[in-house]
Amino acid sequence: MSYPVVNLTNCDKEPIHILGKVQAHGLLIAADRISFEIAYISENCKDFTGLDAAPLLGHTLSYFFDTLYKDNPDQTYAQVIRFGLTQGLDNLNPIKLQLKGKLFHLILHTSDRFIVLEFEPTSPDVDSQLQQLVGSSLTQILEGSTLQETLQRAARQIKELIRYDRVMIYKFWEDGHGEVVAEEQAEGFEPFMGLHYPASDIPRQARELYKINLTRIIADVDSEPSGIITTPDDKDKPLDLTHSTIRAVSAIHIQYLKNMGVQASFSVSLIANDELWGLIACHNYTPRFIDYKARQHAKLIGQVLSSSIQYREGQEDREESQAFRNASDDIIRRMQKDWSLVDAVINQKNFLLRITNATSAALIFEGKIYRVGDAPSEEQIQGIVEWLQSGNKRNLYHTNHLTALYSPADAFRDKGSGLLACAISKELGEYILFFKPEIITTVKWAGNPEKPLATDDSGALVLSPRRSFEVWSQQVEGTSEKWSKAELNAVFKFREDLVHFINLKANEIRKLNEKLKEAYDELDTFSFTISHDLKTPIASIKNYAEIMLEDNAQLDEQNKHFLNRIIISADKMNTLIREVLEYSRVSRTMLQKQRIEMEPVIREITSELVAAYKVHNLDLTINGTPGILGDRVMLTQVFTNLLSNAIKYSSRSKPPKVTIEGKEEETQVIYSIRDNGVGIDMNYGGHIFELFKRMDNVKEYEGSGVGLAIVKRIMEKHNARIWYESEPGTGTIFYLSFEKD
């Protein structure tokens, strides 16, 4: 069996799940799931069973076990395995048995059409020791009062469980590199706490396997792995060892561990929000095998720690978000009270700086620049605005390394290495700018983070794992603290409130400009007329196509396909025209305001949408349905559009979740519609409310890009507000704010 060669160009594509070898401490057999005929077996079979590997190929598992236990014919392992295939292998693992008088665990999993048997050594007294230790470990970990203390306790308890020389909690950062954030090591070993490791140390495909296999052991880096042999029929089909517990390791990684002086390693994956947050990385400086049960207990500790990480980080984000939102609301209330944007934003109490963790800010509004805190000079701020105007199309722009993108920023890096720019009106060059100062940091790497090149015997460049792990310090300049998701969400919402306030003021001016209003109405009428006049020819096109299909049964398949495409396109055009007409009609329809009891409205909408989309496993929650004042028909359309999007774009989640929640506050009623669907990139800002605007990640979903534009126009007509919070892949929350009676 041949396998791809790994070199400098394809290291991150190395097929580590089909290496074709197993570690020396274990035996592997793979048999067809139906016939039970052995198709793969590791060459070290004789070391464990006394039976040669090759002659067993093609024989059944029953034959293997009968031969293995010929002196004890009552053994029924083959029947047990077949039972496990029907009832679930997880409930069966591990099976204790003896090979050549020694106790082993038999661990089962499936791979494609094969049942895979893996035999690992164990000892008779391991279970009782582990049960007591794990219960105590979980209690100790959960008593941590902070996330850092929880991580440190987890490292200590894992070390107690597996008795390795070093246990590290290793966190992955956004760029893929890792940092040791907690550690327990045996006496006499230097600490690795705080050291950073480059992303290349753990390639992409290895990270994907860490998300599937939550534990991974390398018992002895010096042991010679055993090859897997197979039948002639399968010689060109490497066995997929993705779920194997004894899968051999990449030669590059083995050399990497040897260069570190590590003889055995063990890891437990930490998963938070369905992503690889980090690893519990364990090193031993002599060979050391860990029993399957002990690894499973370590896995349990890792899962508990993962849940704790997710909860604690989420709690910190929520607390920070609430503090920012409170500050934002304070400014908006002051605006509404004094009817002045500048007076509310620029004041002695520096309310603006409480919206984020920025140390200074600037408001550029109506041709003037207002500075808060130790901000860059007016001239420097004007330069930033011109730079933003020339190339940035986003309503929200942020960076923590401004000097790398805008060279003049080097002159004020001590004040503004980090920039968060919020566009009030890009057409008028009006912005709010938030600044964070430079933080000069020294990052300590475990050796030079660049993977060096070496030359082979022929003089060609090849990949060589780092040989030196001595601390290599790197000074990072021109960067600030990063902008958090909570800061970005807070500023985005603040912008929506700000734009809403400006629009309210603009309404007073619009009342004096009747000519502009007349021109707007004429344009609206024109679009209505054109859309209406298009209906007749489109209907004719569809009718003629249908007649041709009905009257010409002899047409070939290609022509039938073309006619069907014409009919489908005509239907799509009619749908688009109808939605454009609805969008146009919003502006000309007079509001018929009334008190609307929302519970029956929401329940009727959701009932119809669930039936329409056929999402039978939808997790739908309705929390609170306070009444609102408005046009019943229009607001029903608003909730129908938003709930339709929520159900549609979460329909492929497992399970899809939609939550509608209404809250009554002092001066307003706020509804939120939350889903766990595809999400929206917040960089698109308010563009999602523009006519025919659809995001790139929803192209495969049916839609015209008109619905949210209609929603926005109806909300504006009601003097109400709409905004959203979202992140691609995690879902979206739309907020609707209505004035109270």
Side-chain angles (χ1 to χ4, degrees):
M1 202 181 310
S2 60
Y3 297 90
V5 175
V6 181
N7 57 37
L8 186 61
T9 63
N10 65 0
C11 172
D12 67 339
K13 298 181 179 65
E14 182 182 8
I16 56 179
H17 62 300
I18 54 169
L19 286 178
K21 296 180 180 180
V22 296
Q23 295 183 58
H25 66 267
L27 162 66
L28 179 142
I29 298 175
D32 185 277
R33 282 200 273 184
I34 305 301
S35 67
F36 267 29
E37 290 183 357
I38 297 173
Y40 299 88
I41 188 168
S42 57
E43 294 175 321
N44 59 358
C45 180
K46 190 169 186 177
D47 297 338
F48 292 89
T49 66
L51 304 175
D52 288 326
L56 292 172
L57 290 171
H59 285 289
T60 65
L61 290 177
S62 297
Y63 172 85
F64 168 74
F65 283 112
D66 288 345
T67 305
L68 189 63
Y69 298 110
K70 58 185 177 182
D71 297 331
N72 185 8
D74 293 331
Q75 299 291 347
T76 57
Y77 291 115
Q79 291 91 326
V80 171
I81 293 170
R82 196 175 292 280
F83 174 80
L85 281 172
T86 60
Q87 300 300 315
L89 298 177
D90 288 341
N91 299 323
L92 201 59
N93 285 330
I95 302 170
K96 280 191 176 180
L97 47 69
Q98 286 194 344
L99 300 177
K100 294 174 66 174
K102 294 181 180 178
L103 196 60
F104 279 79
H105 275 148
L106 169 57
I107 303 141
L108 306 168
H109 73 271
T110 58
S111 176
D112 194 21
R113 63 185 178 88
F114 302 104
I115 175 75
V116 180
L117 292 69
E118 296 182 303
F119 300 82
E120 290 186 357
T122 186
S123 58
D125 57 348
V126 70
D127 287 353
S128 59
Q129 297 173 356
L130 288 173
Q131 292 291 346
Q132 183 176 0
L133 183 58
V134 171
S136 172
S137 295
L138 293 176
T139 301
Q140 289 287 326
I141 293 169
L142 294 175
E143 286 178 352
S145 58
T146 65
L147 177 57
Q148 183 57 44
E149 185 180 352
T150 301
L151 296 175
Q152 195 61 48
R153 285 170 176 256
R156 188 177 307 124
Q157 295 306 314
I158 290 287
K159 189 173 184 304
E160 285 287 321
L161 176 67
I162 66 172
R163 302 291 180 179
Y164 263 43
D165 294 324
R166 185 189 305 277
V167 174
M168 300 169 285
I169 308 290
Y170 184 88
K171 176 182 178 179
F172 291 118
W173 291 97
E174 290 178 2
D175 62 357
H177 92 272
E179 179 187 1
V180 179
V181 294
E183 179 186 33
E184 284 288 323
Q185 79 272 10
E187 202 172 321
F189 291 97
E190 63 174 313
F192 287 176
M193 180 69 175
L195 289 184
H196 293 246
Y197 291 78
S200 57
D201 278 5
I202 303 179
R204 173 190 52 79
Q205 76 277 29
R207 292 174 194 238
E208 291 304 312
L209 283 180
Y210 278 126
K211 292 167 68 173
I212 298 172
N213 292 335
L214 299 185
T215 63
R216 183 80 175 112
I217 185 171
I218 303 171
D220 183 358
V221 299
D222 289 326
S223 64
E224 188 66 30
S226 175
I228 298 173
I229 58 175
T230 185
T231 63
D233 290 341
D234 293 301
K235 65 179 181 178
D236 295 323
K237 303 173 186 175
L239 180 64
D240 189 335
L241 299 176
T242 294
H243 297 281
S244 170
T245 64
I246 59 173
R247 171 173 52 85
V249 186
S250 161
I252 292 176
H253 186 61
I254 289 293
Q255 189 59 52
Y256 175 89
L257 292 174
K258 287 181 177 181
N259 291 351
M260 291 183 73
V262 174
Q263 288 291 299
S265 78
F266 174 62
S267 64
V268 182
S269 303
L270 299 175
I271 310 291
N273 297 311
D274 298 323
E275 292 298 329
L276 186 63
W277 182 93
L279 298 172
I280 303 175
C282 314
H283 290 168
N284 210 60
Y285 295 93
T286 56
R288 181 168 177 77
F289 173 72
I290 305 172
D291 179 273
Y292 176 80
K293 286 278 187 78
R295 301 201 306 271
Q296 289 299 98
H297 286 305
K299 174 182 172 182
L300 174 61
I301 292 175
Q303 289 171 323
V304 171
L305 181 58
S306 294
S307 297
S308 181
I309 290 169
Q310 182 168 317
Y311 171 76
R312 289 182 182 276
E313 288 192 336
Q315 184 182 40
E316 291 172 1
D317 286 344
R318 287 189 294 272
E319 290 173 354
E320 187 177 43
S321 294
Q322 189 59 52
F324 293 151
R325 178 165 292 187
N326 290 342
S328 172
D329 290 344
D330 285 344
I331 295 178
I332 297 301
R333 280 193 290 269
R334 186 182 178 100
M335 265 185 219
Q336 293 170 340
K337 179 182 178 182
D338 299 337
W339 207 240
S340 170
L341 183 153
V342 174
D343 290 346
V345 172
I346 308 301
N347 54 72
Q348 295 299 317
K349 295 185 178 180
N350 287 347
F351 284 139
L352 188 60
L353 297 184
R354 289 164 44 199
I355 297 177
T356 68
N357 289 322
T359 57
S360 64
L363 168 66
I364 301 93
F365 186 66
E366 293 182 340
K368 295 183 179 180
I369 297 175
Y370 305 88
R371 298 162 64 239
V372 180
D374 188 18
S377 68
E378 289 191 13
E379 183 181 354
Q380 291 167 336
I381 289 171
Q382 186 59 48
I384 294 173
V385 170
E386 291 172 1
W387 172 68
L388 290 170
Q389 290 286 90
S390 66
N392 177 55
K393 297 181 179 180
R394 302 174 184 174
N395 288 327
L396 217 63
Y397 174 83
H398 65 94
T399 176
N400 75 319
H401 196 183
L402 184 58
T403 58
L405 305 168
Y406 176 62
S407 57
D410 191 61
F412 53 86
R413 61 198 297 178
D414 58 325
K415 299 176 181 179
S417 286
L419 170 68
L420 171 52
C422 165
I424 301 172
S425 170
K426 285 184 286 189
E427 293 79 9
L428 301 176
E430 295 179 340
Y431 288 84
I432 294 181
L433 307 179
F434 298 88
F435 298 101
K436 288 185 178 181
E438 177 186 39
I439 299 176
I440 299 177
T441 57
T442 299
V443 178
K444 293 184 177 180
W445 296 91
N448 190 321
E450 299 296 329
K451 272 193 175 180
L453 307 181
T455 54
D456 60 15
D457 294 338
S458 65
L461 288 175
V462 295
L463 183 64
S464 174
R466 288 183 291 123
R467 299 183 181 278
S468 172
F469 290 86
E470 293 183 4
V471 175
W472 189 85
S473 296
Q474 178 187 28
Q475 184 164 292
V476 180
E477 299 179 349
T479 61
S480 72
E481 176 191 69
K482 290 186 177 180
W483 301 97
S484 69
K485 185 169 66 175
E487 289 175 302
L488 299 179
N489 286 338
V491 173
F492 181 79
K493 179 187 179 296
F494 179 65
R495 179 189 179 276
E496 290 294 313
D497 291 338
L498 206 58
V499 171
H500 174 68
F501 172 80
I502 293 170
N503 287 338
L504 288 179
K505 291 197 71 176
N507 283 337
E508 296 181 348
I509 300 171
R510 291 190 185 102
K511 292 175 184 178
L512 304 175
N513 197 344
E514 290 299 326
K515 289 185 178 180
L516 181 61
K517 181 178 182 302
E518 289 172 6
Y520 179 86
D521 289 340
E522 288 174 4
L523 182 62
D524 208 24
T525 302
F526 176 75
S527 66
F528 178 88
T529 304
I530 291 297
S531 299
H532 186 272
D533 290 346
L534 284 173
K535 283 187 172 181
T536 300
I538 291 173
S540 298
I541 292 170
K542 179 181 178 182
N543 290 337
Y544 285 130
E546 289 175 339
I547 290 170
M548 291 181 70
L549 273 177
E550 292 174 0
D551 294 347
N552 296 276
Q554 74 280 8
L555 286 174
D556 59 34
E557 290 302 316
Q558 185 179 30
N559 285 315
K560 288 180 180 179
H561 171 74
F562 289 155
L563 289 171
N564 280 317
R565 292 304 304 168
I566 291 172
I567 294 169
I568 292 170
S569 297
D571 286 335
K572 285 184 177 180
M573 182 62 77
N574 273 322
T575 299
L576 186 59
I577 290 172
R578 184 177 65 254
E579 292 184 342
V580 170
L581 287 174
E582 288 177 0
Y583 179 78
S584 177
R585 193 176 294 119
V586 170
S587 64
R588 67 179 69 254
T589 304
M590 294 294 293
L591 289 180
Q592 302 293 326
K593 282 196 172 185
Q594 57 177 299
R595 176 75 180 179
I596 307 171
E597 296 302 322
M598 291 303 297
E599 182 174 0
V601 173
I602 290 174
R603 293 198 180 277
E604 181 179 355
I605 292 171
T606 54
S607 176
E608 291 176 359
L609 289 174
V610 169
Y613 284 106
K614 300 178 182 179
V615 185
H616 303 298
N617 61 336
L618 176 66
D619 182 359
L620 177 68
T621 305
I622 302 174
N623 294 328
T625 55
I628 54 179
L629 184 66
D631 187 292
R632 186 183 189 88
V633 174
M634 288 188 180
L635 292 183
T636 297
Q637 189 174 9
V638 166
F639 280 84
T640 299
N641 275 332
L642 293 178
L643 287 168
S644 173
N645 284 348
I647 293 172
K648 176 169 64 177
Y649 294 133
S650 64
S651 60
R652 301 180 188 179
S653 300
K654 297 181 181 179
K657 295 182 181 180
V658 175
T659 301
I660 309 110
E661 183 175 14
K663 291 183 179 180
E664 194 167 1
E665 298 184 358
E666 185 177 350
T667 60
Q668 60 186 343
V669 174
I670 295 180
Y671 271 86
S672 65
I673 298 175
R674 178 194 302 264
D675 66 68
N676 65 337
V678 297
I680 302 167
D681 188 343
M682 295 290 286
N683 288 324
Y684 283 105
H687 289 303
I688 66 166
F689 297 112
E690 295 174 3
L691 199 59
F692 304 123
K693 188 70 175 181
R694 301 198 76 209
M695 303 300 102
D696 294 337
N697 62 339
V698 298
K699 293 296 174 64
E700 61 188 270
Y701 293 84
E702 189 174 329
S704 63
V706 179
L708 285 177
I710 294 174
V711 168
K712 182 75 169 177
R713 182 170 274 200
I714 291 175
M715 292 296 288
E716 289 173 346
K717 196 173 183 73
H718 280 77
N719 200 26
R721 292 183 296 132
I722 180 171
W723 70 94
Y724 71 97
E725 295 176 2
S726 186
E727 187 173 354
T730 62
T732 303
I733 312 172
F734 277 95
Y735 296 93
L736 304 170
S737 173
F738 303 89
E739 293 180 356
K740 291 186 70 173
D741 302 4

